[in-house]
Structures are given as C-alpha cells and as structure tokens.
Coordinates of all heavy atoms in Angstrom, one line a residue:
M1 N 10.5 -20.4 12.3 CA 10.7 -20.4 10.9 C 9.9 -19.3 10.3 O 8.7 -19.3 10.6 CB 10.4 -21.8 10.3 CG 10.8 -22.0 8.9 SD 10.5 -23.7 8.3 CE 11.6 -24.6 9.4
P2 N 10.4 -18.5 9.4 CA 9.6 -17.4 8.9 C 8.6 -17.9 7.9 O 8.7 -19.0 7.3 CB 10.7 -16.5 8.2 CG 11.8 -17.4 7.9 CD 11.8 -18.4 9.0
R3 N 7.6 -17.1 7.8 CA 6.5 -17.5 6.9 C 6.4 -16.5 5.7 O 6.6 -15.3 5.9 CB 5.2 -17.4 7.7 CG 4.0 -18.0 6.9 CD 2.7 -17.8 7.7 NE 2.5 -16.4 8.0 CZ 1.6 -16.0 8.9 NH1 0.9 -16.9 9.6 NH2 1.4 -14.8 9.1
Y4 N 6.3 -17.0 4.5 CA 6.3 -16.2 3.4 C 4.9 -16.4 2.6 O 4.4 -17.5 2.5 CB 7.4 -16.6 2.4 CG 8.8 -16.5 3.1 CD1 9.4 -17.6 3.7 CD2 9.4 -15.3 3.1 CE1 10.6 -17.5 4.3 CE2 10.7 -15.2 3.7 CZ 11.2 -16.3 4.3 OH 12.5 -16.1 4.9
D5 N 4.5 -15.2 2.1 CA 3.3 -15.2 1.3 C 3.6 -15.3 -0.1 O 4.5 -14.6 -0.6 CB 2.5 -14.0 1.7 CG 2.0 -14.0 3.1 OD1 1.9 -15.1 3.6 OD2 1.7 -13.0 3.6
F6 N 2.9 -16.1 -0.8 CA 3.1 -16.2 -2.3 C 1.7 -15.9 -3.0 O 0.7 -16.1 -2.4 CB 3.6 -17.5 -2.7 CG 5.0 -17.8 -2.2 CD1 5.3 -18.3 -1.0 CD2 6.1 -17.5 -3.1 CE1 6.6 -18.5 -0.6 CE2 7.4 -17.7 -2.7 CZ 7.6 -18.2 -1.4
R7 N 1.8 -15.5 -4.2 CA 0.6 -15.4 -5.0 C 0.8 -16.0 -6.3 O 1.9 -15.9 -7.0 CB 0.3 -13.9 -5.2 CG -1.1 -13.7 -5.9 CD -1.4 -12.2 -5.9 NE -0.5 -11.4 -6.7 CZ -0.6 -11.2 -8.0 NH1 -1.6 -11.7 -8.7 NH2 0.3 -10.5 -8.6
C8 N -0.2 -16.8 -6.7 CA -0.1 -17.5 -7.9 C -0.6 -16.6 -9.1 O -1.7 -16.0 -8.9 CB -0.9 -18.8 -7.9 SG -1.0 -19.7 -9.4
R9 N 0.2 -16.5 -10.1 CA -0.3 -15.6 -11.2 C -1.1 -16.4 -12.2 O -1.6 -15.8 -13.1 CB 1.0 -15.1 -11.9 CG 1.7 -14.1 -11.0 CD 2.7 -13.3 -11.8 NE 3.8 -14.0 -12.4 CZ 4.8 -13.5 -13.0 NH1 4.8 -12.2 -13.2 NH2 5.7 -14.2 -13.6
A10 N -1.2 -17.7 -12.0 CA -2.0 -18.5 -12.9 C -3.4 -18.5 -12.5 O -4.3 -18.3 -13.4 CB -1.4 -19.9 -12.9
C11 N -3.7 -18.7 -11.2 CA -5.1 -18.7 -10.8 C -5.4 -17.6 -9.8 O -6.5 -17.4 -9.4 CB -5.4 -20.1 -10.1 SG -4.5 -20.4 -8.6
G12 N -4.4 -16.8 -9.4 CA -4.6 -15.7 -8.5 C -4.7 -16.0 -7.1 O -5.0 -15.1 -6.3
A13 N -4.5 -17.2 -6.7 CA -4.6 -17.6 -5.3 C -3.4 -17.2 -4.5 O -2.3 -17.1 -5.1 CB -4.8 -19.1 -5.2
T14 N -3.6 -16.9 -3.3 CA -2.5 -16.5 -2.4 C -2.4 -17.6 -1.3 O -3.4 -18.2 -0.8 CB -2.7 -15.2 -1.7 OG1 -4.0 -15.2 -1.0 CG2 -2.8 -14.1 -2.7
F15 N -1.2 -18.0 -1.0 CA -0.9 -19.0 -0.1 C 0.3 -18.7 0.7 O 1.1 -17.9 0.3 CB -0.8 -20.4 -0.8 CG 0.2 -20.4 -1.9 CD1 1.5 -20.9 -1.6 CD2 -0.1 -19.9 -3.1 CE1 2.4 -21.0 -2.6 CE2 0.9 -19.9 -4.1 CZ 2.1 -20.5 -3.9
E16 N 0.5 -19.4 1.8 CA 1.6 -19.2 2.7 C 2.5 -20.4 2.7 O 2.0 -21.6 2.6 CB 1.1 -18.9 4.1 CG 0.3 -17.6 4.2 CD -0.3 -17.4 5.6 OE1 -0.2 -18.4 6.4 OE2 -0.8 -16.3 5.8
L17 N 3.7 -20.2 2.9 CA 4.7 -21.3 3.0 C 5.6 -21.0 4.2 O 6.0 -19.8 4.4 CB 5.5 -21.5 1.8 CG 4.7 -22.2 0.6 CD1 5.7 -22.3 -0.6 CD2 4.2 -23.5 1.0
R18 N 5.9 -22.0 5.0 CA 7.0 -21.8 6.0 C 8.2 -22.5 5.5 O 8.2 -23.7 5.1 CB 6.5 -22.5 7.3 CG 5.4 -21.6 8.0 CD 5.2 -22.3 9.3 NE 4.1 -21.5 10.1 CZ 3.7 -21.9 11.3 NH1 4.2 -22.9 11.9 NH2 2.8 -21.1 11.9
R19 N 9.2 -21.8 5.4 CA 10.5 -22.3 4.9 C 11.6 -21.6 5.6 O 11.5 -20.5 6.0 CB 10.6 -22.2 3.4 CG 10.3 -20.8 2.9 CD 10.6 -20.6 1.5 NE 10.0 -21.7 0.6 CZ 10.0 -21.7 -0.7 NH1 10.6 -20.7 -1.3 NH2 9.4 -22.7 -1.4
P20 N 12.8 -22.2 5.6 CA 14.0 -21.5 6.2 C 14.3 -20.3 5.3 O 14.0 -20.2 4.1 CB 15.1 -22.6 6.1 CG 14.4 -23.8 5.7 CD 13.1 -23.6 5.3
M21 N 15.0 -19.4 5.9 CA 15.3 -18.1 5.2 C 16.3 -18.4 4.1 O 16.3 -17.7 3.1 CB 16.0 -17.1 6.2 CG 15.0 -16.6 7.2 SD 15.7 -15.3 8.1 CE 15.8 -14.0 6.9
A22 N 17.0 -19.5 4.2 CA 17.9 -19.9 3.1 C 17.2 -20.3 1.8 O 17.7 -20.2 0.7 CB 18.8 -21.1 3.5
Q23 N 15.9 -20.6 2.0 CA 15.1 -21.0 0.8 C 14.1 -20.0 0.5 O 13.1 -20.3 -0.1 CB 14.5 -22.4 1.1 CG 15.5 -23.5 1.4 CD 14.8 -24.8 1.7 OE1 13.6 -25.0 1.5 NE2 15.6 -25.8 2.1
A24 N 14.3 -18.8 1.0 CA 13.2 -17.8 0.8 C 13.1 -17.4 -0.6 O 12.0 -17.1 -1.1 CB 13.6 -16.5 1.6
G25 N 14.1 -17.5 -1.4 CA 14.0 -17.1 -2.8 C 13.7 -18.3 -3.7 O 13.6 -18.0 -4.9
D26 N 13.5 -19.4 -3.2 CA 13.2 -20.5 -4.0 C 11.8 -20.4 -4.6 O 10.9 -19.9 -3.9 CB 13.3 -21.8 -3.2 CG 14.8 -22.2 -2.9 OD1 15.6 -21.4 -3.3 OD2 15.0 -23.2 -2.3
P27 N 11.5 -20.9 -5.7 CA 10.2 -20.8 -6.3 C 9.2 -21.7 -5.5 O 9.6 -22.8 -5.1 CB 10.4 -21.3 -7.7 CG 11.6 -22.2 -7.7 CD 12.5 -21.5 -6.7
A28 N 8.0 -21.2 -5.4 CA 7.0 -21.9 -4.7 C 6.0 -22.4 -5.7 O 5.8 -21.8 -6.7 CB 6.4 -21.0 -3.6
V29 N 5.4 -23.5 -5.3 CA 4.3 -24.1 -6.2 C 3.0 -23.8 -5.5 O 2.8 -24.0 -4.3 CB 4.6 -25.6 -6.4 CG1 3.5 -26.2 -7.3 CG2 6.0 -25.8 -6.9
C30 N 2.1 -23.4 -6.4 CA 0.7 -23.1 -5.9 C 0.1 -24.4 -5.4 O 0.4 -25.5 -6.0 CB -0.1 -22.5 -7.1 SG -1.8 -22.4 -6.8
P31 N -0.8 -24.3 -4.5 CA -1.5 -25.5 -4.0 C -2.3 -26.2 -5.2 O -2.6 -27.4 -5.1 CB -2.5 -25.0 -2.9 CG -1.8 -23.8 -2.4 CD -1.1 -23.2 -3.6
Q32 N -2.6 -25.4 -6.2 CA -3.3 -26.0 -7.3 C -2.3 -26.6 -8.3 O -2.8 -27.1 -9.3 CB -4.1 -24.9 -8.0 CG -5.1 -24.2 -7.1 CD -6.1 -25.1 -6.5 OE1 -6.6 -26.1 -7.2 NE2 -6.5 -24.9 -5.3
G33 N -1.0 -26.4 -8.1 CA -0.1 -27.1 -8.9 C 0.6 -26.1 -9.9 O 1.4 -26.6 -10.7
H34 N 0.2 -24.9 -9.9 CA 0.9 -23.9 -10.8 C 2.3 -23.5 -10.2 O 2.5 -23.5 -9.0 CB 0.0 -22.7 -10.9 CG -1.4 -23.0 -11.3 ND1 -2.5 -22.5 -10.6 CD2 -1.9 -23.8 -12.3 CE1 -3.6 -23.0 -11.2 NE2 -3.3 -23.8 -12.2
Q35 N 3.1 -23.2 -11.2 CA 4.5 -22.8 -10.8 C 4.8 -21.4 -11.1 O 5.9 -20.9 -10.8 CB 5.5 -23.7 -11.5 CG 5.4 -25.2 -11.1 CD 6.5 -26.0 -11.8 OE1 7.3 -25.5 -12.5 NE2 6.5 -27.3 -11.4
D36 N 3.8 -20.7 -11.6 CA 4.0 -19.3 -11.9 C 3.6 -18.4 -10.7 O 2.5 -17.9 -10.6 CB 3.2 -18.9 -13.1 CG 3.6 -17.5 -13.6 OD1 4.5 -16.9 -13.1 OD2 2.9 -17.0 -14.5
T37 N 4.4 -18.4 -9.7 CA 4.1 -17.7 -8.5 C 5.1 -16.6 -8.2 O 6.2 -16.6 -8.6 CB 4.1 -18.7 -7.3 OG1 5.4 -19.3 -7.2 CG2 3.0 -19.8 -7.5
V38 N 4.6 -15.6 -7.4 CA 5.5 -14.5 -7.0 C 5.5 -14.4 -5.5 O 4.4 -14.7 -4.8 CB 5.1 -13.2 -7.6 CG1 5.3 -13.2 -9.1 CG2 3.6 -12.9 -7.3
K39 N 6.6 -14.0 -4.9 CA 6.6 -13.9 -3.4 C 6.2 -12.5 -3.0 O 6.6 -11.5 -3.6 CB 8.1 -14.2 -3.0 CG 8.2 -14.2 -1.5 CD 9.5 -15.0 -1.0 CE 10.7 -14.1 -1.4 NZ 10.8 -13.0 -0.5
L40 N 5.4 -12.5 -2.0 CA 4.9 -11.2 -1.5 C 5.7 -10.8 -0.3 O 6.0 -11.6 0.5 CB 3.4 -11.3 -1.1 CG 2.5 -11.8 -2.2 CD1 1.1 -11.9 -1.7 CD2 2.5 -10.8 -3.4
L41 N 6.0 -9.5 -0.3 CA 6.8 -9.0 0.8 C 5.8 -8.4 1.9 O 5.8 -7.2 2.1 CB 7.7 -7.9 0.3 CG 8.7 -8.3 -0.7 CD1 9.5 -7.1 -1.2 CD2 9.7 -9.3 -0.1
S42 N 5.1 -9.3 2.5 CA 4.2 -8.8 3.6 C 4.7 -9.1 4.9 O 4.5 -8.3 5.9 CB 2.9 -9.5 3.3 OG 3.0 -10.9 3.4
T43 N 5.4 -10.2 5.1 CA 5.8 -10.6 6.4 C 7.3 -10.3 6.7 O 7.7 -10.2 7.8 CB 5.6 -12.1 6.7 OG1 6.2 -12.8 5.6 CG2 4.1 -12.4 6.7
V44 N 8.0 -10.2 5.6 CA 9.5 -10.0 5.7 C 9.7 -8.5 5.5 O 9.4 -7.9 4.5 CB 10.3 -10.8 4.7 CG1 11.7 -10.6 4.9 CG2 10.0 -12.3 4.9
A45 N 10.3 -7.9 6.5 CA 10.6 -6.5 6.4 C 11.9 -6.3 5.6 O 12.9 -6.9 5.8 CB 10.8 -5.9 7.8
V46 N 11.7 -5.3 4.7 CA 12.9 -5.0 3.9 C 13.4 -3.6 4.4 O 12.7 -2.6 4.3 CB 12.5 -4.9 2.4 CG1 13.7 -4.5 1.6 CG2 12.0 -6.3 2.0
T47 N 14.7 -3.6 4.8 CA 15.2 -2.4 5.3 C 16.3 -1.9 4.3 O 17.0 -2.7 3.8 CB 15.8 -2.5 6.7 OG1 16.8 -3.5 6.6 CG2 14.7 -3.0 7.7
G48 N 16.4 -0.6 4.2 CA 17.5 0.0 3.4 C 17.1 0.1 1.9 O 17.9 0.8 1.2
A49 N 16.0 -0.4 1.5 CA 15.7 -0.3 0.1 C 14.5 0.6 -0.2 O 14.2 0.8 -1.3 CB 15.4 -1.7 -0.4
A50 N 14.0 1.1 0.9 CA 12.8 2.0 0.7 C 13.2 3.4 0.5 O 14.0 4.0 1.3 CB 11.9 1.9 1.9
S51 N 12.7 4.0 -0.6 CA 13.1 5.4 -0.8 C 11.8 6.1 -1.3 O 11.7 6.5 -2.5 CB 14.2 5.5 -1.8 OG 13.8 5.0 -3.1
A52 N 10.8 6.2 -0.5 CA 9.6 6.8 -0.8 C 9.7 8.3 -0.8 O 10.6 8.8 0.0 CB 8.5 6.3 0.1
G53 N 9.0 9.0 -1.6 CA 9.0 10.4 -1.6 C 10.3 10.9 -2.3 O 10.5 10.5 -3.4
G54 N 11.0 11.7 -1.6 CA 12.3 12.2 -2.2 C 13.1 12.9 -1.2 O 12.6 13.4 -0.2
A55 N 14.4 12.8 -1.4 CA 15.3 13.5 -0.5 C 15.1 15.0 -0.6 O 15.0 15.5 -1.7 CB 16.7 13.1 -0.8
P56 N 15.2 15.7 0.5 CA 15.1 17.1 0.5 C 16.4 17.7 -0.2 O 17.4 17.7 0.4 CB 15.1 17.5 2.0 CG 15.6 16.3 2.7 CD 15.3 15.1 1.9
Q57 N 16.1 18.2 -1.3 CA 17.3 18.7 -2.1 C 17.0 20.1 -2.5 O 15.9 20.5 -2.9 CB 17.4 17.9 -3.3 CG 18.9 17.9 -3.9 CD 19.2 16.6 -4.6 OE1 18.3 15.9 -4.9 NE2 20.4 16.4 -4.9
Q58 N 18.0 21.0 -2.3 CA 17.8 22.4 -2.6 C 17.8 22.6 -4.1 O 18.8 22.4 -4.7 CB 18.9 23.2 -1.9 CG 18.7 23.3 -0.4 CD 19.7 24.2 0.2 OE1 20.7 24.6 -0.4 NE2 19.5 24.5 1.5
A59 N 16.7 23.1 -4.5 CA 16.6 23.5 -6.0 C 17.1 24.9 -6.2 O 16.9 25.8 -5.3 CB 15.1 23.3 -6.4
P60 N 17.8 25.1 -7.2 CA 18.2 26.5 -7.6 C 17.0 27.4 -7.8 O 16.3 27.2 -8.7 CB 19.1 26.3 -8.8 CG 18.6 25.0 -9.4 CD 18.2 24.1 -8.2
S61 N 16.9 28.3 -6.9 CA 15.8 29.3 -7.0 C 16.3 30.6 -7.5 O 17.4 31.0 -7.2 CB 15.1 29.4 -5.7 OG 16.0 29.9 -4.7
A62 N 15.4 31.3 -8.1 CA 15.7 32.7 -8.5 C 15.8 33.7 -7.4 O 15.2 33.5 -6.3 CB 14.7 33.1 -9.6
G63 N 16.4 34.7 -7.6 CA 16.5 35.7 -6.5 C 17.7 35.6 -5.7 O 17.9 36.3 -4.7
G64 N 18.6 34.7 -6.0 CA 19.8 34.5 -5.2 C 21.0 35.2 -5.9 O 22.1 34.6 -5.9
G65 N 20.9 36.3 -6.3 CA 22.0 37.0 -7.0 C 22.2 36.6 -8.4 O 23.0 35.8 -8.8
G66 N 21.3 37.1 -9.2 CA 21.4 36.8 -10.6 C 22.5 37.6 -11.3 O 23.1 38.5 -10.7
G67 N 22.7 37.2 -12.5 CA 23.8 37.9 -13.2 C 23.3 39.1 -14.0 O 24.0 39.7 -14.8
C68 N 22.0 39.4 -13.9 CA 21.5 40.5 -14.7 C 21.8 41.9 -14.1 O 21.9 42.8 -14.9 CB 19.9 40.3 -14.8 SG 19.1 41.6 -15.5
C69 N 21.9 41.9 -12.8 CA 22.0 43.3 -12.2 C 23.4 43.8 -12.1 O 23.7 44.8 -11.4 CB 21.4 43.2 -10.8 SG 19.7 42.7 -10.7
G70 N 24.3 43.1 -12.7 CA 25.7 43.6 -12.7 C 25.9 44.9 -13.3 O 26.7 45.7 -12.9
G71 N 25.2 45.1 -14.4 CA 25.4 46.4 -15.1 C 24.3 47.4 -14.9 O 24.3 48.4 -15.6
G72 N 23.5 47.2 -13.9 CA 22.4 48.1 -13.6 C 21.3 48.1 -14.5 O 20.6 49.1 -14.8
C73 N 21.0 46.9 -15.1 CA 20.0 46.9 -16.1 C 18.6 46.8 -15.4 O 17.6 47.1 -16.1 CB 20.2 45.7 -17.0 SG 20.1 44.1 -16.2
C74 N 18.6 46.3 -14.2 CA 17.2 46.2 -13.6 C 17.2 46.9 -12.2 O 16.5 46.6 -11.3 CB 16.9 44.7 -13.4 SG 18.2 43.8 -12.5
G75 N 17.8 47.9 -12.1 CA 17.8 48.6 -10.8 C 18.0 50.0 -11.1 O 17.8 50.9 -10.3
Ligands
ZN101 ZN1 -2.4 -21.4 -9.0

C-alpha cells in the first residue's frame, strides 16, 4: 500500500498515511485533529507533468536575410 505524506497547515506538522491509491486524493486529518492539510508529492512519482526549464525553441535571430539589403542600402 502506498504511503503518502501530508502537511498540516494549521500546526505545520507533517505526517504519513498509508492508504489505497483509490483514496489518495481524500482529505487527511492531522494527528492533532486539524483538517486543513495538504498532500505532499514526495513518495508518489508524477510523470508527464514536469516541464522544468524550457523547450529548445528557435528564436528569430537577426542576420538571417533581412529585408533591408534588398535595395542596397547597407552594402
Ligand atoms: Zn495540525
């Protein structure tokens, strides 16, 4: 059974819960009784959603045949 890490936003405590994947998105209750918790993505790998950095994209650069030299203005 996978293990999920949660963090309580009320008291700042972190705790772990073991639950089936079907209940991964269910709200968890802090051991102190708080219900304002968030799930941490530390143990569950997320694939396909990471897009760090940036895709190599060709930026339009100068010097690739400008429209200025058509009439001999710069040569
Ligand atoms: Zn708490």
Side-chain angles (χ1 to χ4, degrees):
M1 190 174 296
R3 186 183 62 193
Y4 300 95
D5 293 337
F6 291 86
R7 185 171 66 88
C8 177
R9 295 196 295 183
C11 66
T14 56
F15 55 98
E16 299 174 349
L17 284 181
R18 286 186 182 181
R19 52 170 50 175
M21 293 189 69
Q23 302 177 8
D26 289 0
V29 180
C30 171
Q32 304 298 327
H34 307 129
Q35 294 185 359
D36 190 7
T37 58
V38 291
K39 188 161 68 71
L40 304 177
L41 297 175
S42 58
T43 54
V44 180
V46 178
T47 59
S51 65
Q57 206 153 12
Q58 289 185 348
S61 60
C68 169
C69 300
C73 65
C74 52

